[in-house]
Amino acid sequence: KHSFWETQPVEQYHDRGKNTEDEGPIAPLRSVAEVRTNPYKLPKHYEWCICDLNCTHTMNEIFNLLSNHYVEDFESMFRYNYSKDFLQWALRPPGYFPSWHIGVRVEATKRLVAFITGIPVNMRLHSMCMPMAEVNFLCIHKKLRSKRLAPLLIKELTRRVHLENIWQAIYTAGIVLPTPLVTCQYWHRPLNSKKLIKVGFSQLGLGMTMGRTIKHYRLPQKTFTPGFRAMERRDISAVARLLQQYLQQFVVAPELSEADVEHWLVPLNNVVNTYVIEDVESHNITDVCSFYTLPSTVLGDQRHTALKAAYLFYNVTTKTPLSQLVNDLLIVAKQSEYDVFNVLDIMQNQSFLQELKFKLGDGHLQYYLYNYRLKEPLSPGDLGVILL
Ligand code: NHW
Ligand code: EN5
């Protein structure tokens, strides 16, 4: 049924739940010298390219491909619309490899028709720490679908990851493939009910009027926690220490260096917002919370309406209740005119969903590992990693 995935070192459905094998890599260990040095062959008239994210022309091409052809919800009402600033942030973390930003072009016209990316990450699984690739932004032009181009893109990226002596990867998808590590669910907290209902993102609840709905989701004007402020560069080492400590409780989580924390958490306009709680007396940083910005295009709307969504990112609590911290994020997101606040049921997020009026979405997110098998099945609460 999965002619490609059956050939790959991923857990196969028929092995699921067999506790016989050991935890660890699925494929036999290899050396870089054994990796093929020439790219996979593309169908005639197509060529590989490395997409230079420093080039504004290339960035426009990537942006246009993704904004017209990337992920939609299952009813095709919305499509992700990652901004160029966001993509540059997402794809150039410390130690990134330009060769992992792979495009496919039409030979004759140089038109960009497909894309796939990897970034390096140090991932911990239980107590095992490994360099991995985080794979994302796999996209094929709608006119070129179902031609088995995706397996070629995946194999070519895999080859280039192997050339860096990296043999594992982590990725997420809305669809089910062999074999999910965990299935997670999206939850949504309306910030602008009127707009959400107008664009079809949500419906009026039974027996609810617009007025009652707006009132139900009303938020205070100002944040609640004393010492709540935007993270600054001077907070990097304190935030790094807190996050490194906090992420230890999860089965799967990245090992973040100070450079990683600087890249992923220092606020960047319309890309990532991070806040800290600075203790009013000691001036120590006690808690951290963050979200990233990912708008969606409302499809079938001639006015090209955008839905402005915030996605919960990394949090740390040592003093403030998590629900209070996230409520403060809802307040600042509302002030900044976001329409909805989205979270996954991973980490400790289950603990505040009901209280803060999040509602279950219709989308799932599966997490996958490439060339690594875990003995025990995981639950969403075991995950301490977020892919963009
Ligand atoms: S998930 C978002 C993926 N992108 C989209 O959904 C955008 C809209 N769709 C498209 O552009 C986040 C196309 O439909 C795509 C498939 C390109 C999705 N992951 O070319 P064919 C990510 O970016 C398999 C993995 O004919 P297509 C994560 C499918 O099961 N595999 O299909 C990406 C089938 O194989 P099978 C996927 O519709 C992780 C084969 O592709 C997949 O024209 C990538 C069909 O190919 C998906 N999302 O193009 C894996 N969607 O065995 C990384 C379909 O079932 C692995 N397929 O016959 C690790 C690599 C690095 C290792 C390093 C050690
Ligand atoms: C790679 N990093 O399905 C990610 N989103 O629930 C790629 N639903 O927004 C994989 N269908 O439930 C991403 N409203 C996979 C997700 C793809 C996008 C997706 C879902 C997540 C989503 C919304 C809109 C549904 C539109 C019709 C949804 C209902 C919630 C509503 C909140 C307010 C109160 C009433 C209920």
Side-chain angles (χ1 to χ4, degrees):
K1 204 160 138 273
H2 292 285
S3 61
F4 169 64
W5 282 111
E6 275 171 10
T7 69
Q8 297 299 300
V10 294
E11 183 165 42
Q12 300 296 324
Y13 290 139
H14 56 263
D15 295 334
R16 168 87 332 158
K18 283 190 193 163
N19 283 9
T20 47
E21 286 160 72
D22 274 337
E23 188 152 318
I26 294 166
L29 295 182
R30 286 200 285 160
S31 71
V32 173
E34 296 168 75
V35 179
R36 61 183 274 176
T37 50
N38 54 324
Y40 285 87
K41 207 171 144 45
L42 279 171
K44 215 169 152 46
H45 309 304
Y46 297 99
E47 63 186 23
W48 296 111
C49 71
I50 292 176
C51 292
D52 178 3
L53 302 184
N54 304 310
C55 168
T56 50
H57 176 70
T58 308
M59 277 315 302
N60 286 329
E61 295 179 297
I62 295 167
F63 174 79
N64 288 332
L65 177 71
L66 295 180
S67 65
N68 291 304
H69 304 279
Y70 198 51
V71 175
E72 300 173 4
D73 67 293
F74 78 96
E75 292 167 297
S76 289
M77 294 175 68
F78 305 96
R79 190 189 303 123
Y80 286 150
N81 190 23
Y82 289 89
S83 70
K84 286 179 258 185
D85 285 347
F86 189 108
L87 292 167
Q88 289 187 312
W89 171 71
L91 295 174
R92 294 188 303 182
Y96 79 92
F97 300 99
S99 62
W100 294 6
H101 301 155
I102 305 174
V104 173
R105 294 185 186 277
V106 176
E107 236 165 19
T109 60
K110 305 298 173 202
R111 184 187 165 105
L112 184 69
V113 293
F115 192 55
I116 189 169
T117 68
I119 55 169
V121 60
N122 279 314
M123 198 64 72
R124 184 180 50 72
L125 303 171
H126 294 295
S127 60
M128 273 291 284
C129 208
M130 274 167 293
M132 288 196 187
E134 255 183 46
V135 181
N136 208 344
F137 305 112
L138 167 60
C139 182
I140 296 176
H141 190 292
K142 291 189 179 208
K143 292 239 166 88
L144 293 179
R145 298 274 171 91
S146 306
K147 298 178 186 297
R148 311 301 299 182
L149 209 51
L152 272 178
L153 284 156
I154 293 166
K155 285 193 282 185
E156 181 57 16
L157 175 62
T158 303
R159 189 183 70 81
R160 296 186 198 189
V161 171
H162 286 165
L163 285 173
E164 304 298 338
N165 198 22
I166 295 175
W167 306 90
Q168 272 75 35
I170 185 165
Y171 51 102
T172 57
I175 58 166
V176 178
L177 303 161
T179 301
L181 177 67
V182 207
T183 298
C184 302
Q185 286 185 290
Y186 283 99
W187 290 71
H188 308 281
R189 179 24 164 117
L191 300 174
N192 182 352
S193 293
K194 213 170 162 178
K195 165 113 168 250
L196 294 181
I197 290 166
K198 192 184 74 185
V199 302
F201 187 93
S202 61
Q203 275 100 43
L204 267 189
L206 272 178
M208 289 286 272
T209 62
M210 185 63 85
R212 280 182 61 200
T213 303
I214 290 168
K215 192 168 166 203
H216 177 69
Y217 290 116
R218 185 173 292 164
L219 286 159
Q221 297 278 106
K222 290 217 260 139
T223 57
F224 182 82
T225 313
F228 185 97
R229 62 163 174 84
M231 179 190 175
E232 297 174 20
R233 307 188 64 84
R234 63 183 163 105
D235 303 316
I236 291 168
S237 65
V239 170
R241 259 179 286 122
L242 283 170
L243 199 54
Q244 288 156 358
Q245 169 70 34
Y246 188 80
L247 291 178
Q248 283 179 25
Q249 67 188 293
F250 303 108
V251 176
V252 185
E255 296 258 295
L256 299 172
S257 66
E258 279 199 14
D260 293 326
V261 169
E262 171 175 7
H263 179 83
W264 292 121
L265 289 168
V266 171
L268 190 61
N269 233 333
N270 287 310
V271 174
V272 63
N273 286 51
T274 304
Y275 301 88
V276 296
I277 310 300
E278 178 181 325
D279 186 89
V280 186
E281 263 114 55
S282 69
H283 296 285
N284 289 332
I285 307 299
T286 58
D287 310 87
V288 185
C289 54
S290 62
F291 63 84
Y292 63 84
T293 298
L294 168 50
S296 284
T297 305
V298 180
L299 303 176
D301 182 314
Q302 277 4 301
R303 288 162 301 175
H304 297 289
T305 316
L307 196 68
K308 195 176 173 190
Y311 287 76
L312 191 62
F313 198 36
Y314 290 98
N315 301 323
V316 182
T317 59
T318 69
K319 199 165 156 250
T320 311
L322 182 59
S323 65
Q324 184 181 318
L325 213 53
V326 175
N327 198 244
D328 279 343
L329 283 183
L330 295 176
I331 293 166
V332 295
K334 170 79 190 169
Q335 295 304 317
S336 306
E337 295 181 302
Y338 286 79
D339 299 312
V340 61
F341 201 106
N342 298 336
V343 314
L344 283 166
D345 55 358
I346 61 170
M347 297 196 260
Q348 299 183 326
N349 296 348
Q350 266 123 333
S351 67
F352 60 75
L353 294 171
Q354 317 283 345
E355 181 188 345
L356 298 185
K357 299 176 176 165
F358 282 82
K359 298 287 181 287
L360 186 60
D362 63 6
H364 293 259
L365 189 68
Q366 333 282 335
Y367 277 70
Y368 299 94
L369 292 174
Y370 184 92
N371 194 23
Y372 205 86
R373 190 180 169 280
L374 290 182
K375 253 193 217 143
E376 311 280 352
L378 302 185
S379 27
D382 295 323
L383 290 179
V385 57
I386 291 161
L387 274 64
L388 302 169

